[in-house]
């Protein structure tokens, strides 16, 4: 308790307190009070996080043990927080972006009644609390508790408007698909306990060299299965686009600051384990690259403004996993940070557009919003440039670091990564041009009422836009300035297995030039094409396949959902009703029937009672005097 970082528990405490106050007082608190409590709780957490970050930056790291969580004869698991470079950076991202999203929500959700408004903020606070628990835990069990809490909160928030069956279905889909990944995570914990007898980070990483390659591979792959579910990688990605059913601030929170970054955090935290298994690293890189390309092709033909951003998130997460797979852990974490800036900006910008267009989300019914929403337009444009990877915006630095590491690992990875980056630039500027440029295509009533969002919504946009522009300078590559990569120096004590790649500066300049030139061509082509003639009709041919998301949902429905549903119907109607229910109900009916027959003996007729008594005496006497004969007979029957 001598270390001041022992008070790190304050970071998750404030959101938990906000959840309790808003949740329990939802029928009594005004909307203003709810907004102050919900946003203020996360702001306080952010201030404490800044203080922690400064402490860590000054060299003070600490594992704070609070109480024994599981205490058995074979192993002990404490409830402890690990405050180091990696967790302190994620604390800033979660609470900083989280606060801006809370502030934005006070205006965006203001049409809700007071009780539902409070319920929404209670869920948001609980979401932030769970995510903080996930990144602060000093062992995999505490991480898993936060992991499950995030899954629960995503279910509650995606299904926030629970009166709509489609939204409930999306919430259930997210919950079920995450559970599949969670099973992998849970098995990895059991495997570590069986092989190492501990799940605390420090002990696991120090003993990791004792694991066989097979054990290290199995643990790493099982952890990756968990990450695939939470961070929406092939084949467990389909829940994330459907999660757009939740209010837009929820989408921003899930896609930018929480939940989907959990898988990246877990693998970066476990980099020591992954360094022991080439198989696991290759698997992470290949799945990440495949996801990046696959999701990008789908985003090209989506017309729902939030769906485009959702598939963009899936694709960008693929880049992060590509970075993790090729050993560029700093690059992956760097992209988590820059992605949090511009993806939160883009989602909140999309929310501002939807708010102005009276809940319209189809970009084919928008257009010409540049002059009507000047702040939203400018900030959204900056976000598009950042995600497209144009210098000197933040996305350029982080994406370039991943692509450079991919080239050093395998030039084919780089080539495919550049192709994905080109598609990213194309679909983002298709979205931008169709929404903000050209002629207005909404209704006359929408055109009359469309207006810029209130300051509670535009201020977060401006802050995030600024971060999207300048946030990349925290990781200036060696080719531009020697020892200027501040993030790499900061994270190096935690990411100890980072694979340094050596590359001639001329080669690196050439790679950068090619990727930027291709992205710039894609941007100019998209603006020129869609500002003049946006796609307003239904696509045909391959476009129709992309618009229908390669029919993956339909495939899952045919291969997994319907067979399981059919099996459940059989289990319900045959096994449960005829088997289990039949046995239970049959026992009850037998007892009931037997009691009804026995009841007839109580007839009230004295003669019948006397007859029964005499017969009983006769039977008793026969048994009494012939017990030897009866026993012999029974022995013969038994033998």
């Amino acid at each position: 308790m001598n270390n001041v970082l022992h008070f790190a528990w304050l970071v998750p405490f404030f959101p938990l307190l906000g959840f309790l106050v808003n949740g329990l007082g939802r029928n009594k608190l005004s909307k203003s009070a709810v907004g102050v409590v919900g946003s203020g709780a996360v702001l306080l957490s952010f201030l404490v996080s800044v203080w922690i970050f400064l402490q860590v930056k000054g060299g003070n790291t600490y594992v704070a043990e609070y109480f024994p969580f599981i205490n058995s004869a074979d192993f002990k698991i404490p409830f402890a927080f690990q405050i180091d470079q990696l967790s302190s950076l994620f604390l800033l991202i979660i609470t900083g972006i989280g606060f801006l999203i809370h502030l934005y929500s006070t205006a965006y959700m203001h049409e809700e009644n007071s009780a539902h408004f409070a319920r929404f903020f209670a869920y948001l606070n609980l979401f932030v609390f769970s995510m903080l628990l996930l990144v602060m835990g000093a062992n995999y069990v505490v991480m898993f508790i936060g992991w499950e809490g995030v899954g629960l909160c995503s279910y509650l928030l995606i299904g926030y408007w629970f009166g709509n069956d489609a939204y409930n279905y999306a919430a259930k889909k997210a919950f079920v698909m995450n559970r599949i990944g969670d099973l992998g995570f849970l098995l990895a914990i059991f495997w570590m306990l069986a092989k190492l007898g501990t799940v605390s980070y420090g002990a696991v990483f120090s003993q990791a060299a004792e694991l066989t390659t097979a054990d290290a591979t199995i643990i790493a792959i099982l952890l990756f299965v968990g990450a695939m579910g939470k961070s929406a990688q092939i084949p467990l990605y389909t829940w994330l686009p459907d999660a757009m059913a939740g209010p837009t601030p929820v989408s921003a929170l899930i896609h930018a600051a929480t939940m989907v970054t959990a898988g990246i955090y877990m693998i970066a935290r476990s980099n020591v384990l992954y360094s022991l298994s080439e198989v696991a690293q290759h698997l992470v890189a290949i799945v990440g690259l495949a996801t990046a390309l696959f999701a990008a092709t789908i985003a090209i033909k989506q017309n729902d403004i939030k769906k485009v951003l959702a598939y963009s998130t899936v694709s960008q997460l693929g880049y992060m996993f590509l970075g993790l797979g090729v050993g560029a852990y700093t690059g992956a974490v760097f992209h988590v940070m820059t992605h949090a800036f511009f993806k939160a900006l883009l989602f909140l910008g999309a929310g501002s557009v939807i708010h102005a267009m009276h809940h319209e989300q189809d970009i084919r019914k928008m257009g010409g919003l540049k002059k009507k929403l000047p702040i939203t337009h400018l900030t959204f444009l900056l976000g598009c440039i950042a995600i497209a990877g144009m210098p000197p915006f933040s996305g350029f630095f982080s994406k370039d670091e991943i692509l450079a590491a991919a080239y050093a690992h395998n030039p084919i990875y780089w080539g495919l990564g550049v192709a994905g980056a080109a598609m990213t630039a194309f679909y983002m500027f298709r979205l931008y041009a169709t929404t903000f440029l050209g002629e207005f295509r909404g209704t006359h009533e929408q055109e009359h009422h469309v207006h810029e969002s209130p300051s509670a919504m535009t201020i977060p946009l401006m802050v995030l836009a600024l971060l999207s522009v300048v946030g990349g300078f925290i990781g200036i590559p060696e080719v531009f300035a020697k020892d200027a990569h501040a993030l790499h120096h900061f994270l190096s004590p935690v990411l100890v297995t980072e694979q340094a790649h050596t590359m001639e500066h001329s080669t690196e300049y050439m790679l950068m030039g090619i990727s930027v030139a291709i992205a710039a061509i894609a941007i100019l082509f998209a603006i020129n094409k869609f500002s003049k003639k946006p796609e307003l009709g239904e696509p045909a041919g391959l476009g129709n396949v992309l618009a229908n998301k390669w029919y993956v949902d339909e495939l899952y429905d045919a291969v997994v959902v319907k067979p399981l549903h059919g099996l459940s119907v059989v289990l319900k109607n045959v096994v449960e009703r005829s088997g289990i229910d039949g046995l239970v109900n049959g026992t009850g009916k037998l007892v009931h029937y037997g009691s009804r027959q026995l009841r007839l003996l109580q007839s009230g007729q004295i003669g019948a009672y006397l007859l029964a008594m005499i017969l009983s005496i006769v039977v008793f006497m026969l048994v009494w005097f012939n017990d030897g004969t009866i026993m012999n007979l029974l022995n013969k029957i038994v033998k």
Side-chain angles (χ1 to χ4, degrees):
M1 171 87 192
N2 292 329
N3 196 308
V4 293
L5 290 179
H6 201 80
F7 292 100
W9 58 268
L10 285 169
V11 179
F13 170 75
F14 290 121
L16 180 62
L17 186 62
F19 159 69
L20 293 173
V21 172
N22 280 335
L24 296 175
R26 63 186 181 280
N27 293 321
K28 296 180 180 178
L29 294 173
S30 67
K31 289 184 183 179
S32 299
V34 168
V36 169
V37 170
S39 304
V42 182
L43 177 61
L44 289 172
S45 284
F46 174 67
L47 295 175
V48 178
S49 298
V50 171
W51 171 75
I52 288 175
F53 179 79
L54 294 175
Q55 287 284 324
V56 173
K57 193 170 182 297
N60 184 14
T61 59
Y62 182 60
V63 176
E65 290 193 15
Y66 296 106
F67 55 87
F69 187 64
I70 297 176
N71 199 354
S72 72
D74 298 325
F75 59 86
K76 294 177 174 54
I77 300 174
F79 190 91
F81 289 156
Q82 179 143 339
I83 308 302
D84 59 13
Q85 290 80 3
L86 188 61
S87 58
S88 64
L89 179 67
F90 271 80
L91 290 186
L92 288 183
I93 296 172
I94 296 165
T95 56
I97 304 292
F99 167 67
L100 293 174
I101 293 171
H102 276 70
L103 178 62
Y104 179 96
S105 301
T106 57
Y108 189 86
M109 299 297 292
H110 205 263
E111 292 179 4
E112 298 289 305
N113 66 44
S114 297
H116 287 185
F117 189 77
R119 179 168 61 88
F120 178 77
F121 271 88
Y123 290 165
L124 281 187
N125 279 171
L126 187 63
F127 204 161
V128 172
F129 163 76
S130 300
M131 192 65 197
L132 291 171
L133 208 61
L134 189 155
V135 301
M136 294 179 72
N139 55 63
Y140 287 99
V141 170
V142 177
M143 179 192 277
F144 188 76
I145 295 171
W147 193 273
E148 290 302 306
V150 167
L152 170 65
C153 294
S154 67
Y155 170 79
L156 295 173
L157 285 167
I158 294 169
Y160 171 74
W161 286 310
F162 54 80
N164 187 318
D165 288 341
Y167 296 171
N168 289 332
Y169 177 80
K172 285 190 289 186
K173 185 177 182 180
F175 191 79
V176 171
M177 295 202 81
N178 272 278
R179 297 292 76 71
I180 296 172
D182 295 352
L183 177 61
F185 188 4
L186 200 58
L187 291 175
I189 292 175
F190 289 143
W191 206 284
M192 279 186 269
L193 280 174
K195 297 296 178 182
L196 300 174
T198 180
V199 289
S200 295
Y201 298 147
V204 168
F205 301 151
S206 63
Q207 300 176 40
E210 301 173 10
L211 291 171
T212 64
T213 303
D215 285 331
T217 301
I218 291 171
I219 292 171
I221 290 178
L222 287 173
L223 288 175
F224 179 53
V225 171
M228 282 196 293
K230 201 64 77 186
S231 295
Q233 296 296 287
I234 291 175
L236 302 177
Y237 71 96
T238 58
W239 68 270
L240 190 57
D242 287 1
M244 297 303 96
T248 301
V250 174
S251 305
L253 195 60
I254 289 176
H255 287 250
T258 63
M259 190 141 180
V260 297
T261 63
I264 312 297
Y265 173 82
M266 181 224 271
I267 293 182
R269 172 63 76 187
S270 310
N271 66 89
V272 173
L273 293 173
Y274 282 86
S275 68
L276 300 174
S277 171
E278 287 189 12
V279 173
Q281 282 191 309
H282 283 304
L283 180 65
V284 172
I286 291 171
V287 170
L289 189 55
T291 304
L293 292 171
F294 189 75
T297 60
I298 296 174
I300 287 174
K301 284 296 180 182
Q302 298 304 305
N303 293 316
D304 185 314
I305 188 171
K306 290 174 67 177
K307 283 284 178 72
V308 176
L309 297 177
Y311 280 104
S312 165
T313 299
V314 176
S315 180
Q316 296 303 307
L317 288 166
Y319 278 104
M320 297 172 206
F321 278 99
L322 172 62
L324 294 171
V326 298
Y329 297 107
T330 302
V333 174
F334 191 14
H335 204 52
V336 167
M337 189 185 75
T338 59
H339 181 262
F341 297 153
F342 52 69
K343 190 47 64 69
L345 168 63
L346 291 168
F347 263 113
L348 296 186
S352 180
V353 171
I354 295 168
H355 181 263
M357 293 293 293
H358 295 273
H359 306 292
E360 179 59 67
Q361 295 185 197
D362 192 335
I363 58 175
R364 294 172 296 184
K365 299 175 181 176
M366 298 178 185
L369 296 177
K370 177 181 177 181
K371 294 180 180 177
K372 299 177 185 299
L373 307 174
I375 298 175
T376 301
H377 161 257
L378 179 59
T379 54
F380 198 90
L381 175 59
L382 295 174
C384 288
I385 298 173
I387 195 174
M390 299 305 293
F393 288 66
S394 59
F396 163 74
F397 293 99
S398 56
K399 192 177 290 185
D400 176 73
E401 187 168 340
I402 291 174
L403 290 177
Y407 181 85
H409 197 78
N410 187 335
I412 295 176
Y413 287 178
W414 176 85
L416 294 174
V418 170
M423 284 192 280
T424 302
F426 177 78
Y427 67 68
M428 285 309 303
F429 277 87
R430 169 183 177 267
L431 172 64
Y432 164 75
T434 307
T435 304
F436 291 99
L437 304 182
E439 299 294 326
F440 184 77
R441 298 182 296 277
T443 64
H444 178 71
E445 184 180 357
Q446 286 173 328
E447 186 175 17
H448 182 69
H449 290 99
V450 65
H451 59 278
E452 185 57 275
S453 298
S455 57
M457 293 171 67
T458 55
I459 289 174
L461 293 180
M462 290 185 281
V463 174
L464 289 167
L466 177 65
L467 292 171
S468 299
V469 174
V470 305
F473 288 98
I474 196 173
I476 300 174
E478 188 82 9
V479 69
F480 290 148
K482 190 173 177 59
D483 290 331
H485 202 311
L487 186 63
H488 171 72
H489 295 308
F490 180 69
L491 292 175
S492 56
V494 181
L495 305 179
V496 293
T497 62
E498 177 93 10
Q499 294 179 12
H501 62 272
T502 56
M503 188 183 299
E504 294 290 336
H505 285 184
S506 58
T507 304
E508 195 160 355
Y509 277 127
M510 180 191 70
L511 297 178
M512 282 183 190
I514 292 173
S515 63
V516 170
I518 291 176
I521 292 170
I523 291 171
L524 294 175
F525 178 74
I527 291 178
N528 184 57
K529 177 179 173 62
F530 297 109
S531 62
K532 296 175 182 175
K533 191 177 179 181
E535 293 177 336
L536 302 180
E538 295 299 326
L542 179 60
N544 186 47
V545 175
L546 299 180
N548 284 286
K549 303 162 283 185
W550 293 97
Y551 294 101
V552 171
D553 279 323
E554 287 77 5
L555 179 66
Y556 283 5
D557 196 48
V559 175
V560 179
V561 178
K562 285 183 178 176
L564 284 177
H565 185 260
L567 177 63
S568 67
V569 170
V570 171
L571 291 174
K572 175 187 173 187
N573 293 335
V574 178
V575 178
E576 183 179 357
R577 286 186 180 173
S578 302
I580 299 173
D581 283 0
L583 179 63
V584 174
N585 294 336
T587 303
K589 287 178 180 177
L590 180 64
V591 172
H592 185 246
Y593 175 79
S595 64
R596 280 170 50 195
Q597 302 309 311
L598 288 173
R599 180 174 58 84
L600 297 177
L601 296 176
Q602 301 294 324
S603 62
Q605 296 179 0
I606 300 300
Y609 293 161
L610 289 174
L611 177 61
M613 182 182 71
I614 291 170
L615 289 176
S616 299
I617 292 172
V618 171
V619 170
F620 177 77
M621 295 296 289
L622 287 173
V623 171
W624 179 268
F625 291 109
N626 297 281
D627 56 334
T629 304
I630 292 173
M631 290 304 297
N632 290 333
L633 181 61
L634 289 176
N635 287 332
K636 288 180 180 179
I637 293 173
V638 173
K639 291 178 178 177

